[in-house]
Amino acid sequence: MRSRSEPATALRHRTVRTPAGRLHLAEQGTGPLVLLVHGFPESWYSWRHQLPALAAAGYRAAAIDVRGYGRSSRPAATDAYRMLDLVEDNVAVVRALGEESAVIVGHDWGSNIAAASALLHPGVFRATGLLSVPYAPPGGPRPTDVLGRLGGPEQEFYVSYFQESGRAEAEIEPDVRGWLAGFYAALSADTMPARGEPDPHFVARGGRLRDRFPAGPLPAWLSEEDLDVYAGEFERTGLTGALNRYRNMDRDWEDLAPHRGAPIEQPSLFIGGALDASTLWMSDAIDAYPTTLPGLSASHLLEDCGHWIQQERPDEVNGLLTDWLAAQKLTSM
């Protein structure tokens, strides 16, 4: 709770009870609730530029640590990180904050989590903003069957590389800070490998993901102090909870089978980076938005922007988010 001397606009940290056990969040501002969900490998801190901007615009912004990350609980079982569980965590956060509904905004895996939350609980999540990863309805072939064919005999797609418990951890754990710096740089507009260089989304057979990370300075959006924050969290928690999200993709495919092909009807917004592989590879999903996101207000591709869009281009993302929220004419419940 906020102390009597603490202004309503100050950043506040708290934990709430969810099916995960304990879930940490940082919140700022008062007004209609906007729930912010990060991706891999990040934390609530990924929304550090959006929290004050949303608060200044008249919203109560709450950025969570997804289960397995930061100060939130880290269940031991791999299958405790399936999508259905993460959605129920989000519902519990809304209730714990004393609200009946919220707008949910997610980036990277958080975009998938936000979309699933809106799909499964339309009465709780009245609008959804999706950053970097486009919405594709549940369905299609089993994910690992598709992923296993990517890359051919000489290399392996990074999502497949993450599937085996302990494999990626063995690469990352000896130098968490260095690995994170390389991963962030590999997907940032100003430091990503040039066209024709080895693609850091793939691992050479028998190699490591970090073998294809760019060498050189940090991306412009990431200071040494920012990197210290991220590294400090993962040096404390390890990466297994975060990686377990990837290890539940087939379970999610089975769990969400009743919703195959289902659109998200609520008001929605998409923002992607024009240089982000997520937007390039999923261009067909963006083209399908008139069917899959019938409530879409706008779809934006930011030129010369990579994957970490709300950190690479915070002012533009803040403007798009606050304009979209204002158009929804939200009121506190």
Side-chain angles (χ1 to χ4, degrees):
M1 298 295 290
R2 187 172 69 249
S3 69
R4 292 182 180 180
S5 60
E6 184 180 6
T9 54
L11 184 67
R12 309 178 295 279
H13 291 268
R14 64 188 294 186
T15 57
V16 298
R17 296 290 298 176
T18 74
R22 176 190 70 254
L23 195 137
H24 166 258
L25 60 90
E27 62 176 323
Q28 193 164 359
T30 59
L33 178 61
V34 180
L35 189 65
L36 304 170
V37 187
H38 67 80
F40 174 89
E42 302 179 84
S43 74
W44 76 267
Y45 190 73
S46 305
W47 302 102
R48 63 194 177 280
H49 303 298
Q50 285 67 52
L51 287 163
L54 291 171
Y59 301 96
R60 181 186 186 187
I64 66 171
D65 280 337
V66 174
R67 70 164 65 187
Y69 288 83
R71 303 183 212 173
S72 294
S73 292
R74 300 185 301 280
T78 300
D79 65 0
Y81 296 85
R82 61 208 309 156
M83 185 64 75
L84 293 182
D85 292 325
L86 302 180
V87 167
E88 293 310 311
D89 284 345
N90 290 339
V91 173
V93 169
V94 174
R95 301 287 187 251
L97 295 180
E99 301 290 344
E100 294 297 323
S101 67
V103 174
I104 188 166
V105 178
H107 169 256
D108 183 76
W109 263 121
S111 178
N112 295 105
I113 298 168
S117 299
L119 180 64
L120 298 177
H121 291 279
V124 177
F125 300 105
R126 47 183 166 171
T128 182
L130 309 176
L131 276 59
S132 292
V133 176
Y135 175 63
R142 184 179 293 274
T144 55
D145 290 344
V146 175
L147 298 171
R149 296 194 294 267
L150 298 177
E154 301 299 324
Q155 57 185 5
E156 182 179 12
F157 191 47
Y158 81 101
V159 177
S160 297
Y161 179 69
F162 286 167
Q163 294 296 311
E164 183 182 343
S165 181
R167 185 180 177 196
E169 289 93 326
E171 171 186 336
I172 301 168
E173 292 291 347
D175 178 18
V176 171
R177 192 178 192 278
W179 192 91
L180 290 173
F183 192 80
Y184 296 144
L187 306 186
S188 297
D190 59 335
T191 50
M192 64 174 56
R195 183 174 298 180
E197 295 181 357
D199 189 337
H201 294 89
F202 292 86
V203 182
R205 299 289 178 181
R208 305 172 303 169
L209 190 62
R210 71 185 307 154
D211 293 337
R212 294 187 173 182
F213 291 167
L218 295 178
W221 63 268
L222 183 69
S223 70
E224 295 286 351
E225 292 75 18
D226 294 330
L227 182 58
D228 286 342
V229 172
Y230 285 123
E233 292 288 75
F234 288 110
E235 286 167 351
R236 179 172 53 81
T237 66
L239 271 292
T240 296
L243 289 163
N244 279 344
R245 174 82 289 274
Y246 292 91
R247 295 163 185 163
N248 279 279
M249 295 176 71
D250 283 352
R251 293 186 183 93
D252 297 340
W253 180 77
E254 295 170 356
D255 290 342
L256 296 173
H259 303 277
R260 291 180 186 271
I264 294 175
E265 304 283 354
Q266 299 96 304
S268 57
L269 172 73
F270 176 73
I271 312 173
L275 300 180
D276 184 4
S278 299
T279 0
L280 298 171
W281 292 338
M282 297 186 69
S283 59
D284 289 349
I286 296 175
D287 292 341
Y289 278 170
T291 300
T292 61
L293 291 177
L296 184 70
S297 300
S299 178
H300 303 274
L301 287 182
L302 304 185
E303 294 298 324
D304 300 317
C305 184
H307 182 67
W308 318 103
I309 58 175
Q310 77 269 36
Q311 298 177 87
E312 290 187 52
R313 305 280 276 277
D315 292 341
E316 288 173 70
V317 170
N318 291 348
L320 292 171
L321 282 176
T322 53
D323 287 349
W324 173 67
L325 289 167
Q328 307 312 311
K329 297 180 168 48
L330 304 172
T331 59
S332 296
M333 298 296 290

